[in-house]
Amino acid sequence: MASASDGGEDQATLANQQTNIDESTVKEPLDLVRLSLDERVYVKLRNDRELRGKLHSYDQHLNMLLGEVEEITTIREIDEETYEEIIKSNKRSVPYLFVRGDAVTLISPHEIRS
């Protein structure tokens, strides 16, 4: 017969199984990227650039080939008269884009918003 504490542990184990990625499939950091293949991802790059697109391939340097890409470039300027910061964003769509891995600062599933 299970005690009340066993029931709580069973529920916690079940919750962990439902919310965590199977530990047997994730042994290295790039395994998390592998799980996003053929899925939409959010990629943050140096110099205030952001990408959202479908991850087609990647390598150990995090060089990536993305498809159906939306690129957002943020430009920050200072108004010379008021010294206020002015933030402008430019968007463009690209069918395919090669991303050099050394420019990547973050990669996550597309659902994550900045």
Side-chain angles (χ1 to χ4, degrees):
M1 180 173 227
S3 68
S5 64
D6 289 342
E9 289 174 11
D10 289 341
Q11 289 177 352
T13 302
L14 180 61
N16 286 338
Q17 289 173 349
Q18 292 173 345
T19 58
N20 290 340
I21 298 170
D22 183 12
E23 290 179 13
S24 66
T25 60
V26 179
K27 301 234 184 265
E28 298 178 10
L30 287 178
D31 290 341
L32 288 171
V33 178
R34 179 180 46 83
L35 294 173
S36 295
L37 275 173
D38 296 322
E39 301 290 333
R40 291 194 56 81
V41 293
Y42 169 78
V43 181
K44 188 164 178 67
L45 305 171
R46 293 181 187 170
N47 299 324
D48 291 322
R49 290 178 61 206
E50 301 176 25
L51 305 172
R52 289 181 175 84
K54 186 175 180 181
L55 179 62
H56 288 286
S57 63
Y58 70 97
D59 66 12
Q60 71 273 16
H61 304 290
L62 215 50
N63 295 320
M64 293 179 276
L65 179 61
L66 298 176
E68 304 166 17
V69 182
E70 176 188 35
E71 178 185 27
I72 301 169
T73 306
T74 303
I75 301 167
R76 299 172 192 276
E77 299 175 347
I78 303 295
D79 185 300
E80 293 179 11
E81 293 178 7
T82 64
Y83 298 104
E84 290 183 16
E85 184 177 47
I86 301 168
I87 300 173
K88 298 177 185 177
S89 293
N90 296 321
K91 290 185 182 183
R92 72 175 181 147
S93 295
V94 183
Y96 285 97
L97 189 66
F98 175 83
V99 180
R100 186 175 163 117
D102 66 354
V104 175
T105 60
L106 178 140
I107 181 169
S108 70
H110 182 61
E111 295 80 34
I112 305 298
R113 301 282 176 169
S114 59

